[in-house]
Amino acid sequence: MSEREVCFIIGRCDTVLWSDASDSPVALPDTRSRWQAIWSRRDDIVEIAHTHPLGGAHFSHQDETTMAALNTALGRSLIYSVVTPDSMLRRTQNAEDCDDTTDAIVVDEPWWTALIRVASGIESSTGKEQ
Amino acid sequence: MAILNITYNGLSVDYKTTVNDRMGDRDIRRTAVELIRSGELPGLHIAHLPDDAFDLYVVDRLRSARGPGGARIYLRPKVPFGRV
Protein backbone atom coordinates (compact mmCIF):
# COMPACT_ATOMS: atom_id res chain seq x y z
CA MET A 1 0.00 0.00 0.00
CA SER A 2 1.32 3.44 -0.85
CA GLU A 3 1.66 5.95 1.94
CA ARG A 4 -1.18 8.37 2.58
CA GLU A 5 -2.31 10.69 5.32
CA VAL A 6 -5.16 9.40 7.48
CA CYS A 7 -7.40 11.16 9.99
CA PHE A 8 -9.03 9.50 13.00
CA ILE A 9 -11.69 11.08 15.20
CA ILE A 10 -11.30 9.64 18.67
CA GLY A 11 -13.93 9.50 21.38
CA ARG A 12 -13.96 8.50 25.02
CA CYS A 13 -12.09 5.33 26.03
CA ASP A 14 -9.99 5.60 22.85
CA THR A 15 -12.89 4.67 20.60
CA VAL A 16 -12.35 5.41 16.90
CA LEU A 17 -15.52 7.29 15.95
CA TRP A 18 -14.74 8.04 12.30
CA SER A 19 -11.89 8.06 9.84
CA ASP A 20 -10.94 9.18 6.39
CA ALA A 21 -7.86 9.15 4.21
CA SER A 22 -6.29 11.09 1.39
CA ASP A 23 -4.35 9.77 -1.56
CA SER A 24 -1.29 11.82 -0.64
CA PRO A 25 1.52 11.14 1.85
CA VAL A 26 1.82 14.85 2.66
CA ALA A 27 -1.70 16.27 2.66
CA LEU A 28 -5.20 15.63 3.88
CA PRO A 29 -7.31 18.13 1.92
CA ASP A 30 -10.38 19.91 3.25
CA THR A 31 -13.63 17.97 2.84
CA ARG A 32 -17.18 18.80 3.77
CA SER A 33 -17.68 15.23 4.97
CA ARG A 34 -14.88 15.55 7.54
CA TRP A 35 -16.43 18.69 8.96
CA GLN A 36 -19.86 17.06 9.04
CA ALA A 37 -18.38 14.06 10.84
CA ILE A 38 -16.78 16.34 13.42
CA TRP A 39 -19.85 18.50 13.95
CA SER A 40 -22.27 15.59 14.23
CA ARG A 41 -20.03 13.93 16.84
CA ARG A 42 -19.03 17.10 18.64
CA ASP A 43 -20.32 15.99 22.03
CA ASP A 44 -18.33 12.77 21.90
CA ILE A 45 -15.03 13.85 20.38
CA VAL A 46 -11.98 13.84 22.61
CA GLU A 47 -9.16 13.92 20.10
CA ILE A 48 -8.44 14.32 16.39
CA ALA A 49 -5.38 12.50 15.09
CA HIS A 50 -3.75 12.44 11.71
CA THR A 51 -0.62 10.91 10.26
CA HIS A 52 2.56 12.22 8.70
CA PRO A 53 3.63 9.01 6.94
CA LEU A 54 6.90 10.50 5.78
CA GLY A 55 7.79 11.62 9.30
CA GLY A 56 7.87 14.99 10.98
CA ALA A 57 6.58 14.92 14.53
CA HIS A 58 5.37 18.49 14.53
CA PHE A 59 2.22 20.40 13.71
CA SER A 60 2.47 22.07 10.33
CA HIS A 61 1.13 25.55 9.60
CA GLN A 62 -1.83 23.85 7.94
CA ASP A 63 -2.41 21.80 11.10
CA GLU A 64 -2.08 24.84 13.37
CA THR A 65 -4.61 26.93 11.47
CA THR A 66 -7.09 24.05 11.17
CA MET A 67 -6.88 23.35 14.91
CA ALA A 68 -7.52 27.03 15.62
CA ALA A 69 -10.51 27.06 13.27
CA LEU A 70 -11.98 23.92 14.81
CA ASN A 71 -11.59 25.17 18.38
CA THR A 72 -13.29 28.42 17.39
CA ALA A 73 -16.19 26.64 15.72
CA LEU A 74 -16.69 24.06 18.46
CA GLY A 75 -16.28 26.52 21.30
CA ARG A 76 -13.83 24.28 23.08
CA SER A 77 -10.33 22.95 22.59
CA LEU A 78 -9.85 19.37 21.50
CA ILE A 79 -6.76 17.23 21.90
CA TYR A 80 -4.82 16.93 18.64
CA SER A 81 -2.12 14.49 17.65
CA VAL A 82 0.25 13.65 14.83
CA VAL A 83 1.35 10.06 14.33
CA THR A 84 4.57 9.42 12.41
CA PRO A 85 6.32 6.13 11.61
CA ASP A 86 8.18 6.19 14.88
CA SER A 87 6.49 8.63 17.23
CA MET A 88 3.30 10.32 18.32
CA LEU A 89 3.06 14.01 19.21
CA ARG A 90 0.03 15.12 21.22
CA ARG A 91 -1.18 18.63 22.00
CA THR A 92 -3.21 19.12 25.15
CA GLN A 93 -4.69 22.24 26.65
CA ASN A 94 -3.93 23.52 30.11
CA ALA A 95 -7.15 23.16 32.11
CA GLU A 96 -6.63 26.52 33.80
CA ASP A 97 -5.57 28.58 30.80
CA CYS A 98 -7.32 28.16 27.46
CA ASP A 99 -4.43 29.76 25.59
CA ASP A 100 -1.79 27.54 27.14
CA THR A 101 -1.12 24.25 25.39
CA THR A 102 1.50 21.57 25.77
CA ASP A 103 3.05 19.45 23.02
CA ALA A 104 4.59 16.18 24.14
CA ILE A 105 5.79 12.94 22.61
CA VAL A 106 3.53 10.13 23.81
CA VAL A 107 5.54 7.26 25.23
CA ASP A 108 2.64 4.95 26.03
CA GLU A 109 0.70 5.18 22.78
CA PRO A 110 -3.00 4.26 22.56
CA TRP A 111 -3.97 1.07 20.72
CA TRP A 112 -5.25 2.87 17.64
CA THR A 113 -1.84 4.26 16.64
CA ALA A 114 -1.00 0.80 15.24
CA LEU A 115 -4.20 0.91 13.21
CA ILE A 116 -3.69 4.43 11.88
CA ARG A 117 -0.11 3.54 10.85
CA VAL A 118 -1.33 0.51 8.93
CA ALA A 119 -4.08 2.58 7.30
CA SER A 120 -1.44 5.13 6.31
CA GLY A 121 0.70 2.52 4.59
CA ILE A 122 3.52 2.92 7.05
CA GLU A 123 5.82 -0.08 6.84
CA SER A 124 5.56 -2.25 9.92
CA SER A 125 9.34 -2.47 10.08
CA THR A 126 9.51 1.26 10.70
CA GLY A 127 6.38 1.44 12.78
CA LYS A 128 6.34 1.48 16.52
CA GLU A 129 5.99 -1.91 18.10
CA GLN A 130 2.82 -2.31 20.13
CA MET B 1 -30.91 33.71 -2.82
CA ALA B 2 -29.60 31.37 -0.15
CA ILE B 3 -29.86 30.59 3.53
CA LEU B 4 -26.66 31.49 5.37
CA ASN B 5 -25.59 29.14 8.15
CA ILE B 6 -22.78 30.10 10.52
CA THR B 7 -21.03 27.80 12.98
CA TYR B 8 -19.23 29.55 15.80
CA ASN B 9 -18.48 28.90 19.46
CA GLY B 10 -20.35 25.60 19.51
CA LEU B 11 -23.47 26.88 17.79
CA SER B 12 -24.73 26.42 14.25
CA VAL B 13 -27.28 29.08 13.33
CA ASP B 14 -29.28 29.94 10.22
CA TYR B 15 -29.72 33.64 9.48
CA LYS B 16 -33.44 34.32 9.28
CA THR B 17 -33.17 36.39 6.11
CA THR B 18 -31.91 34.96 2.85
CA VAL B 19 -28.73 36.39 1.36
CA ASN B 20 -27.60 36.93 -2.19
CA ASP B 21 -25.99 33.67 -3.27
CA ARG B 22 -23.72 35.61 -5.62
CA MET B 23 -21.90 37.28 -2.73
CA GLY B 24 -18.19 36.55 -2.76
CA ASP B 25 -16.48 34.67 0.03
CA ARG B 26 -14.97 37.84 1.51
CA ASP B 27 -18.38 39.48 1.69
CA ILE B 28 -19.88 36.37 3.28
CA ARG B 29 -17.23 36.53 6.01
CA ARG B 30 -17.78 40.27 6.55
CA THR B 31 -21.53 39.77 6.69
CA ALA B 32 -21.14 37.01 9.27
CA VAL B 33 -19.00 39.23 11.48
CA GLU B 34 -21.56 42.03 11.33
CA LEU B 35 -24.48 39.69 12.02
CA ILE B 36 -22.81 38.35 15.14
CA ARG B 37 -21.73 41.80 16.33
CA SER B 38 -25.26 43.11 15.94
CA GLY B 39 -26.93 40.13 17.59
CA GLU B 40 -28.88 39.12 14.52
CA LEU B 41 -28.19 35.43 15.09
CA PRO B 42 -29.94 33.76 18.03
CA GLY B 43 -27.43 32.83 20.71
CA LEU B 44 -24.52 34.41 18.87
CA HIS B 45 -24.13 37.99 20.01
CA ILE B 46 -20.51 39.05 20.39
CA ALA B 47 -20.24 42.83 20.19
CA HIS B 48 -16.46 42.88 19.86
CA LEU B 49 -15.99 39.96 17.49
CA PRO B 50 -12.70 40.60 15.67
CA ASP B 51 -12.67 41.40 11.96
CA ASP B 52 -10.66 38.26 11.25
CA ALA B 53 -12.98 35.88 13.12
CA PHE B 54 -13.69 33.86 9.99
CA ASP B 55 -10.36 34.07 8.22
CA LEU B 56 -9.77 30.35 8.83
CA TYR B 57 -13.23 29.41 7.64
CA VAL B 58 -14.48 27.95 4.38
CA VAL B 59 -17.51 29.21 2.48
CA ASP B 60 -19.31 26.03 1.48
CA ARG B 61 -22.06 26.54 -1.10
CA LEU B 62 -24.76 23.93 -1.59
CA ARG B 63 -27.18 24.18 -4.45
CA SER B 64 -30.62 22.75 -3.93
CA ALA B 65 -32.10 20.06 -6.15
CA ARG B 66 -35.37 21.87 -5.62
CA GLY B 67 -34.14 24.85 -7.58
CA PRO B 68 -33.50 28.47 -6.64
CA GLY B 69 -34.43 29.39 -3.10
CA GLY B 70 -33.28 26.17 -1.55
CA ALA B 71 -29.61 26.98 -1.77
CA ARG B 72 -27.54 27.13 1.40
CA ILE B 73 -24.24 28.76 2.23
CA TYR B 74 -22.33 27.24 5.13
CA LEU B 75 -19.61 29.26 6.82
CA ARG B 76 -17.67 26.50 8.53
CA PRO B 77 -14.12 25.93 9.78
CA LYS B 78 -11.57 24.61 7.35
CA VAL B 79 -10.53 21.05 8.16
CA PRO B 80 -7.42 20.10 6.14
CA PHE B 81 -4.39 18.65 7.86
CA GLY B 82 -1.04 17.77 6.42
CA ARG B 83 2.69 17.70 6.66
CA VAL B 84 3.03 20.62 4.26
Side-chain angles (χ1 to χ4, degrees):
Chain A
M1 181 195 297
S2 58
E3 293 156 330
R4 59 183 189 166
E5 290 207 6
V6 174
C7 178
F8 275 11
I9 296 176
I10 306 296
R12 286 179 274 274
C13 302
D14 281 319
T15 305
V16 179
L17 300 175
W18 188 86
S19 68
D20 72 344
S22 73
D23 55 7
S24 163
V26 294
L28 200 56
D30 182 272
T31 63
R32 183 183 300 155
S33 60
R34 188 177 309 123
W35 165 242
Q36 289 173 332
I38 292 168
W39 181 249
S40 65
R41 294 165 177 80
R42 63 191 178 280
D43 293 335
D44 300 318
I45 296 176
V46 173
E47 179 169 1
I48 296 179
H50 73 282
T51 52
H52 288 176
L54 302 184
H58 65 275
F59 293 104
S60 66
H61 178 71
Q62 182 79 285
D63 297 339
E64 295 280 0
T65 51
T66 292
M67 294 186 294
L70 281 170
N71 291 343
T72 296
L74 296 172
R76 69 183 176 99
S77 295
L78 300 176
I79 296 170
Y80 297 95
S81 55
V82 171
V83 177
T84 73
D86 56 9
S87 64
M88 174 186 186
L89 178 69
R90 181 179 266 160
R91 174 168 296 179
T92 54
Q93 183 190 357
N94 186 325
E96 297 175 359
D97 181 355
C98 294
D99 294 325
D100 185 24
T101 59
T102 301
D103 291 356
I105 296 294
V106 178
V107 176
D108 188 14
E109 295 185 0
W111 70 270
W112 49 260
T113 57
L115 184 61
I116 201 170
R117 286 191 176 103
V118 169
S120 301
I122 295 172
E123 294 286 338
S124 59
S125 60
T126 58
K128 197 136 179 163
E129 288 187 18
Q130 297 294 306
Chain B
M1 302 300 283
I3 295 170
L4 174 62
N5 175 276
I6 300 167
T7 303
Y8 191 85
N9 201 28
L11 292 173
S12 177
V13 182
D14 284 348
Y15 179 41
K16 62 187 177 188
T17 304
T18 55
V19 300
N20 187 337
D21 57 2
R22 294 184 180 180
M23 272 202 298
D25 291 0
R26 183 184 297 181
D27 287 337
I28 293 287
R29 292 188 179 92
R30 279 188 192 152
T31 299
V33 168
E34 291 306 324
L35 289 175
I36 292 177
R37 283 176 178 167
S38 61
E40 290 282 330
L41 299 172
L44 274 180
H45 184 200
I46 305 170
H48 300 292
L49 187 72
D51 289 339
D52 62 358
F54 296 108
D55 281 5
L56 300 178
Y57 272 50
V58 169
V59 178
D60 220 352
R61 299 168 189 268
L62 271 71
R63 293 186 180 185
S64 171
R66 292 173 294 176
R72 295 182 67 87
I73 299 173
Y74 290 92
L75 189 57
R76 62 154 176 92
K78 74 185 191 80
V79 292
F81 290 97
R83 185 167 178 257
V84 293

